[in-house]
Protein backbone atom coordinates (compact mmCIF):
# COMPACT_ATOMS: atom_id res chain seq x y z
CA UNK A 1 0.00 0.00 0.00
CA UNK A 2 2.93 2.34 0.60
CA UNK A 3 4.01 2.35 -3.05
CA UNK A 4 0.50 2.78 -4.43
CA UNK A 5 -0.34 5.67 -2.13
CA UNK A 6 3.07 7.25 -2.71
CA UNK A 7 2.35 7.27 -6.44
CA UNK A 8 -1.11 8.78 -5.88
CA UNK A 9 0.26 11.48 -3.58
CA UNK A 10 3.18 12.24 -5.92
CA UNK A 11 1.19 12.55 -9.11
CA UNK A 12 -1.88 14.27 -7.72
CA UNK A 13 0.22 16.48 -5.47
CA UNK A 14 2.45 17.57 -8.35
CA UNK A 15 -0.59 18.49 -10.43
CA UNK A 16 -1.80 20.74 -7.61
CA UNK A 17 1.73 22.10 -7.07
CA UNK A 18 1.98 22.98 -10.77
CA UNK A 19 -1.33 24.82 -10.59
CA UNK A 20 -0.14 26.77 -7.54
CA UNK A 21 3.24 27.61 -9.12
CA UNK A 22 1.56 28.85 -12.31
CA UNK A 23 -0.82 31.08 -10.37
CA UNK A 24 1.88 32.54 -8.13
CA UNK A 25 4.51 32.94 -10.86
CA UNK A 26 2.10 34.75 -13.16
CA UNK A 27 1.07 37.28 -10.50
CA UNK A 28 4.70 37.88 -9.52
CA UNK A 29 5.65 38.31 -13.18
CA UNK A 30 2.85 40.83 -13.59
CA UNK A 31 4.14 42.73 -10.54
CA UNK A 32 0.79 42.24 -8.81
CA UNK A 33 1.99 40.84 -5.48
CA UNK A 34 -1.00 42.36 -3.74
CA UNK A 35 -3.18 39.74 -5.42
CA UNK A 36 -1.21 36.92 -3.80
CA UNK A 37 -3.12 37.15 -0.51
CA UNK A 38 -6.56 36.11 -1.86
CA UNK A 39 -4.88 33.47 -4.04
CA UNK A 40 -3.11 31.93 -1.04
CA UNK A 41 -6.36 32.11 0.93
CA UNK A 42 -8.15 30.24 -1.86
CA UNK A 43 -5.41 27.61 -1.96
CA UNK A 44 -5.57 27.18 1.83
CA UNK A 45 -9.34 26.87 1.76
CA UNK A 46 -9.14 24.22 -0.98
CA UNK A 47 -6.65 22.18 1.05
CA UNK A 48 -8.81 22.49 4.18
CA UNK A 49 -11.95 21.40 2.32
CA UNK A 50 -10.11 18.41 0.81
CA UNK A 51 -8.82 17.25 4.21
CA UNK A 52 -12.25 17.82 5.74
CA UNK A 53 -13.85 15.79 2.95
CA UNK A 54 -11.56 12.82 3.66
CA UNK A 55 -12.25 13.05 7.41
CA UNK A 56 -16.00 13.25 6.76
CA UNK A 57 -15.86 10.13 4.61
CA UNK A 58 -13.98 8.29 7.34
CA UNK A 59 -16.41 9.47 10.01
CA UNK A 60 -19.58 8.62 8.10
CA UNK A 61 -18.55 5.29 6.60
CA UNK A 62 -16.46 3.97 9.49
CA UNK A 63 -19.18 4.74 12.04
CA UNK A 64 -21.84 2.95 10.02
CA UNK A 65 -22.91 -0.01 12.15
CA UNK A 66 -24.66 -2.00 9.43
CA UNK A 67 -22.01 -4.09 7.66
CA UNK A 68 -23.95 -4.39 4.40
CA UNK A 69 -24.51 -0.63 4.10
CA UNK A 70 -20.87 0.02 4.99
CA UNK A 71 -19.62 -2.31 2.25
CA UNK A 72 -22.12 -0.94 -0.25
CA UNK A 73 -21.04 2.64 0.47
CA UNK A 74 -17.35 1.75 0.29
CA UNK A 75 -17.82 -0.14 -2.96
CA UNK A 76 -19.71 2.67 -4.68
CA UNK A 77 -17.22 5.30 -3.50
CA UNK A 78 -14.34 3.18 -4.79
CA UNK A 79 -15.93 2.92 -8.24
CA UNK A 80 -16.64 6.67 -8.30
CA UNK A 81 -13.04 7.40 -7.28
CA UNK A 82 -11.68 5.21 -10.08
CA UNK A 83 -13.95 6.95 -12.58
CA UNK A 84 -12.72 10.38 -11.50
CA UNK A 85 -9.06 9.38 -11.54
CA UNK A 86 -9.36 7.71 -14.94
CA UNK A 87 -10.91 10.87 -16.36
CA UNK A 88 -8.18 12.95 -14.72
CA UNK A 89 -5.36 10.80 -16.16
CA UNK A 90 -6.63 11.24 -19.71
CA UNK A 91 -7.52 14.91 -19.19
CA UNK A 92 -4.05 15.73 -17.85
CA UNK A 93 -2.40 14.00 -20.77
CA UNK A 94 -4.46 16.04 -23.22
CA UNK A 95 -4.58 19.39 -21.45
CA UNK A 96 -1.15 19.64 -19.79
CA UNK A 97 0.29 21.82 -22.55
CA UNK A 98 -2.55 24.34 -22.45
CA UNK A 99 -3.02 24.39 -18.66
CA UNK A 100 -0.64 27.33 -18.16
CA UNK A 101 -2.39 29.55 -20.72
CA UNK A 102 -5.83 28.57 -19.39
CA UNK A 103 -4.97 29.44 -15.77
CA UNK A 104 -3.32 32.71 -16.77
CA UNK A 105 -6.42 33.65 -18.75
CA UNK A 106 -8.61 32.99 -15.72
CA UNK A 107 -6.33 35.12 -13.57
CA UNK A 108 -6.44 38.01 -16.03
CA UNK A 109 -10.23 37.96 -15.89
CA UNK A 110 -10.30 37.62 -12.09
CA UNK A 111 -7.83 40.46 -11.43
CA UNK A 112 -10.27 42.99 -12.84
CA UNK A 113 -13.11 41.57 -10.73
CA UNK A 114 -11.38 41.91 -7.36
CA UNK A 115 -10.04 39.77 -4.51
CA UNK A 116 -13.14 37.59 -4.31
CA UNK A 117 -12.72 36.43 -7.90
CA UNK A 118 -9.04 35.62 -7.33
CA UNK A 119 -10.00 33.58 -4.25
CA UNK A 120 -12.55 31.60 -6.30
CA UNK A 121 -10.12 30.92 -9.17
CA UNK A 122 -7.45 29.60 -6.77
CA UNK A 123 -10.00 27.63 -4.71
CA UNK A 124 -11.57 25.91 -7.72
CA UNK A 125 -8.27 25.25 -9.49
CA UNK A 126 -6.71 23.53 -6.47
CA UNK A 127 -9.93 22.20 -4.95
CA UNK A 128 -10.73 19.95 -7.89
CA UNK A 129 -7.36 18.24 -7.57
CA UNK A 130 -7.68 18.09 -3.79
CA UNK A 131 -11.12 16.47 -3.71
CA UNK A 132 -10.12 13.83 -6.28
CA UNK A 133 -6.96 13.07 -4.32
CA UNK A 134 -8.82 12.90 -1.00
CA UNK A 135 -11.43 10.48 -2.35
CA UNK A 136 -8.92 8.23 -4.07
CA UNK A 137 -6.53 8.12 -1.12
CA UNK A 138 -9.39 7.48 1.30
CA UNK A 139 -10.67 4.51 -0.71
CA UNK A 140 -7.17 3.07 -0.93
CA UNK A 141 -6.33 3.58 2.74
CA UNK A 142 -9.72 2.33 3.96
CA UNK A 143 -9.16 -1.00 2.19
CA UNK A 144 -5.66 -1.53 3.57
CA UNK A 145 -5.13 -4.47 5.89
CA UNK A 146 -3.28 -4.12 9.15
CA UNK A 147 -1.80 -0.89 10.40
CA UNK A 148 -2.65 2.31 8.46
CA UNK A 149 0.89 3.63 9.02
CA UNK A 150 2.23 2.37 5.67
CA UNK A 151 -0.58 3.63 3.40
CA UNK A 152 -0.83 6.97 5.20
CA UNK A 153 2.96 7.28 5.22
CA UNK A 154 3.09 6.57 1.49
CA UNK A 155 0.51 9.26 0.75
CA UNK A 156 2.22 11.85 2.98
CA UNK A 157 5.65 11.07 1.49
CA UNK A 158 4.31 11.37 -2.06
CA UNK A 159 2.66 14.71 -1.29
CA UNK A 160 5.83 16.00 0.39
CA UNK A 161 7.97 15.06 -2.63
CA UNK A 162 5.41 16.71 -4.91
CA UNK A 163 5.61 19.95 -2.91
CA UNK A 164 9.42 19.95 -3.15
CA UNK A 165 9.32 19.27 -6.91
CA UNK A 166 6.71 21.98 -7.41
CA UNK A 167 8.86 24.49 -5.53
CA UNK A 168 11.97 23.58 -7.53
CA UNK A 169 10.04 23.95 -10.78
CA UNK A 170 8.74 27.33 -9.64
CA UNK A 171 12.24 28.51 -8.76
CA UNK A 172 13.53 27.31 -12.10
CA UNK A 173 16.01 24.91 -10.53
CA UNK A 174 14.39 21.80 -11.99
CA UNK A 175 13.52 21.08 -15.58
CA UNK A 176 11.05 18.22 -15.61
CA UNK A 177 9.78 16.51 -18.74
CA UNK A 178 6.13 16.75 -17.75
CA UNK A 179 4.90 14.71 -20.71
CA UNK A 180 7.12 11.76 -19.79
CA UNK A 181 6.38 12.21 -16.08
CA UNK A 182 2.62 12.17 -16.48
CA UNK A 183 2.80 9.28 -18.97
CA UNK A 184 4.80 7.02 -16.65
CA UNK A 185 2.96 7.99 -13.47
CA UNK A 186 -0.35 7.78 -15.32
CA UNK A 187 0.40 4.19 -16.33
CA UNK A 188 1.30 3.36 -12.73
CA UNK A 189 -1.83 5.07 -11.46
CA UNK A 190 -3.95 2.95 -13.82
CA UNK A 191 -2.56 -0.17 -12.09
CA UNK A 192 -3.38 1.32 -8.68
CA UNK A 193 -6.87 2.33 -9.87
CA UNK A 194 -7.50 -1.21 -11.13
CA UNK A 195 -6.86 -2.51 -7.62
CA UNK A 196 -9.23 0.08 -6.13
CA UNK A 197 -11.86 -0.89 -8.69
CA UNK A 198 -11.37 -4.53 -7.72
CA UNK A 199 -11.81 -3.56 -4.05
CA UNK A 200 -15.02 -1.77 -4.99
CA UNK A 201 -16.51 -4.80 -6.70
CA UNK A 202 -15.36 -7.02 -3.83
CA UNK A 203 -17.19 -4.72 -1.39
CA UNK A 204 -20.35 -4.97 -3.49
CA UNK A 205 -20.01 -8.76 -3.40
CA UNK A 206 -19.71 -8.67 0.39
CA UNK A 207 -22.81 -6.45 0.48
CA UNK A 208 -24.70 -9.15 -1.50
CA UNK A 209 -25.29 -6.72 -4.36
CA UNK A 210 -23.14 -8.80 -6.71
CA UNK A 211 -22.73 -12.60 -6.63
CA UNK A 212 -19.58 -14.71 -6.42
CA UNK A 213 -18.03 -13.78 -3.07
CA UNK A 214 -17.07 -17.43 -2.45
CA UNK A 215 -15.81 -18.08 -6.00
CA UNK A 216 -12.09 -17.47 -5.48
CA UNK A 217 -9.75 -17.26 -8.46
CA UNK A 218 -6.48 -16.53 -6.62
CA UNK A 219 -5.27 -16.66 -3.04
CA UNK A 220 -1.90 -14.88 -3.03
CA UNK A 221 -1.70 -15.06 0.77
CA UNK A 222 -1.77 -18.89 0.75
CA UNK A 223 0.66 -19.10 -2.18
CA UNK A 224 3.30 -16.84 -0.61
CA UNK A 225 2.87 -18.53 2.79
CA UNK A 226 4.87 -21.49 1.43
CA UNK A 227 8.01 -19.31 1.25
CA UNK A 228 8.09 -18.35 4.92
CA UNK A 229 9.51 -14.95 5.85
CA UNK A 230 10.56 -14.30 2.24
CA UNK A 231 7.00 -15.01 1.19
CA UNK A 232 5.71 -12.31 3.54
CA UNK A 233 7.93 -9.76 1.78
CA UNK A 234 6.91 -11.06 -1.66
CA UNK A 235 3.25 -10.85 -0.73
CA UNK A 236 3.68 -7.29 0.54
CA UNK A 237 5.40 -6.29 -2.70
CA UNK A 238 2.79 -8.11 -4.81
CA UNK A 239 -0.15 -6.50 -3.04
CA UNK A 240 1.57 -3.12 -2.86
CA UNK A 241 2.35 -2.98 -6.58
CA UNK A 242 -0.88 -4.47 -7.93
CA UNK A 243 -3.05 -3.15 -5.09
CA UNK A 244 -5.04 -6.37 -4.73
CA UNK A 245 -6.67 -8.20 -1.83
CA UNK A 246 -5.23 -11.36 -0.17
CA UNK A 247 -8.14 -13.34 -1.67
CA UNK A 248 -9.29 -12.46 -5.19
CA UNK A 249 -12.68 -13.52 -6.54
CA UNK A 250 -13.25 -14.35 -10.19
CA UNK A 251 -15.35 -11.22 -10.68
CA UNK A 252 -12.65 -9.11 -9.06
CA UNK A 253 -9.97 -10.65 -11.32
CA UNK A 254 -12.03 -10.15 -14.49
CA UNK A 255 -12.78 -6.51 -13.60
CA UNK A 256 -9.13 -5.85 -12.78
CA UNK A 257 -7.83 -7.38 -16.01
CA UNK A 258 -10.50 -5.77 -18.20
CA UNK A 259 -9.86 -2.31 -16.73
CA UNK A 260 -6.07 -2.53 -17.07
CA UNK A 261 -6.19 -3.90 -20.62
CA UNK A 262 -8.75 -1.40 -21.89
CA UNK A 263 -7.61 1.77 -20.15
CA UNK A 264 -3.89 1.09 -20.63
CA UNK A 265 -4.44 0.48 -24.36
CA UNK A 266 -6.16 3.82 -24.91
CA UNK A 267 -3.80 5.68 -22.56
CA UNK A 268 -0.57 4.44 -24.17
CA UNK A 269 -1.89 4.53 -27.72
CA UNK A 270 0.13 7.14 -29.64
CA UNK A 271 -1.90 10.18 -30.56
CA UNK A 272 -1.74 11.23 -34.16
CA UNK A 273 -1.61 14.97 -34.76
CA UNK A 274 -4.40 16.46 -36.77
CA UNK A 275 -3.59 16.67 -40.45
CA UNK A 276 -2.77 20.15 -41.62
CA UNK A 277 -4.65 21.06 -44.76
CA UNK A 278 -2.44 22.53 -47.51
CA UNK A 279 -2.72 26.23 -48.10
CA UNK A 280 -5.09 27.07 -50.87
CA UNK A 281 -3.50 28.77 -53.85
CA UNK A 282 -5.50 31.51 -55.45
CA UNK A 283 -7.04 30.42 -58.69
CA UNK A 284 -6.61 32.53 -61.77
CA UNK A 285 -9.92 33.56 -63.18
CA UNK A 286 -10.40 32.43 -66.71
CA UNK A 287 -11.29 35.11 -69.13
Amino acid sequence: MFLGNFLIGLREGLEAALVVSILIAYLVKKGNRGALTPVWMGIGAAVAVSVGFALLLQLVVAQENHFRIQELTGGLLSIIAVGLVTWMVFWMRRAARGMKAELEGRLDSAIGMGAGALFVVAFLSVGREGLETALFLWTNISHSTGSPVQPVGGAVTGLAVAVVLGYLIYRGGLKLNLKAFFTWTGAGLIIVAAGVLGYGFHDLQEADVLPGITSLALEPANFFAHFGAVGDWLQTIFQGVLNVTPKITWLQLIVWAAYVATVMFFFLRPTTPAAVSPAKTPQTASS
Side-chain angles (χ1 to χ4, degrees):
M1 283 296 181
F2 182 93
L3 180 61
N5 283 356
F6 173 82
L7 182 61
I8 297 170
L10 175 62
R11 181 191 167 94
E12 300 296 294
L14 186 59
E15 286 185 24
L18 287 174
V19 170
V20 172
S21 64
I22 290 172
L23 293 175
I24 301 303
Y26 186 67
L27 291 175
V28 172
K29 181 181 177 182
K30 285 281 190 177
N32 195 352
R33 291 181 176 271
L36 291 177
T37 300
V39 168
W40 278 117
M41 290 176 63
I43 293 169
V47 172
V49 168
S50 301
V51 173
F53 177 61
L55 294 176
L56 180 63
L57 285 174
Q58 179 64 22
L59 179 65
V60 172
V61 177
Q63 295 300 321
E64 178 57 58
N65 294 324
H66 199 295
F67 174 79
R68 186 166 181 265
I69 295 178
Q70 186 179 23
E71 294 301 306
L72 176 62
T73 305
L76 292 176
L77 287 175
S78 296
I79 295 172
I80 292 171
V82 171
L84 289 173
V85 169
T86 305
W87 170 82
M88 176 274 302
V89 166
F90 282 92
W91 176 85
M92 195 63 190
R93 185 188 181 196
R94 183 181 67 254
R97 289 184 178 180
M99 182 173 64
K100 184 173 183 289
E102 180 184 352
L103 287 173
E104 289 178 352
R106 290 181 185 175
L107 274 179
D108 279 332
S109 301
I111 287 173
M113 298 173 63
L118 288 169
F119 176 92
V120 171
V121 168
F123 177 80
L124 294 179
S125 299
V126 178
R128 180 185 64 184
E129 305 290 343
L131 290 175
E132 289 177 357
T133 305
L135 178 58
F136 200 51
L137 283 174
W138 176 83
T139 56
N140 217 20
I141 293 172
S142 64
H143 288 102
S144 63
T145 56
S147 173
V149 173
Q150 278 200 6
V152 172
V156 172
T157 304
L159 290 171
V161 172
V163 170
V164 173
L165 291 177
Y167 177 76
L168 292 177
I169 292 173
Y170 168 74
R171 299 297 299 178
L174 178 65
K175 302 296 181 184
L176 189 64
N177 187 332
L178 293 179
K179 181 180 179 181
F181 175 84
F182 285 120
T183 297
W184 283 103
T185 57
L189 201 56
I190 289 171
I191 300 295
V192 175
V196 174
L197 186 64
Y199 278 125
F201 275 79
H202 189 270
D203 285 346
L204 295 180
Q205 286 180 303
E206 289 191 330
D208 291 330
V209 175
L210 295 175
I213 187 62
T214 58
S215 300
L216 299 180
L218 298 172
E219 294 187 69
N222 291 344
F223 173 76
F224 288 114
H226 294 89
F227 300 95
V230 177
D232 292 338
W233 283 99
L234 292 175
Q235 181 186 349
T236 301
I237 295 172
F238 178 80
Q239 290 185 218
V241 173
L242 297 184
N243 205 30
V244 295
T245 55
K247 294 184 178 182
I248 305 170
T249 66
W250 276 106
L251 177 61
Q252 198 175 345
L253 179 62
I254 292 171
V255 167
W256 187 94
Y259 175 86
V260 170
T262 304
V263 177
M264 196 72 78
F265 170 78
F266 285 105
F267 180 72
L268 297 179
R269 183 179 59 175
T271 55
T272 55
V276 180
S277 57
K280 295 183 180 180
T281 57
Q283 297 180 353
T284 305
S286 57
S287 52

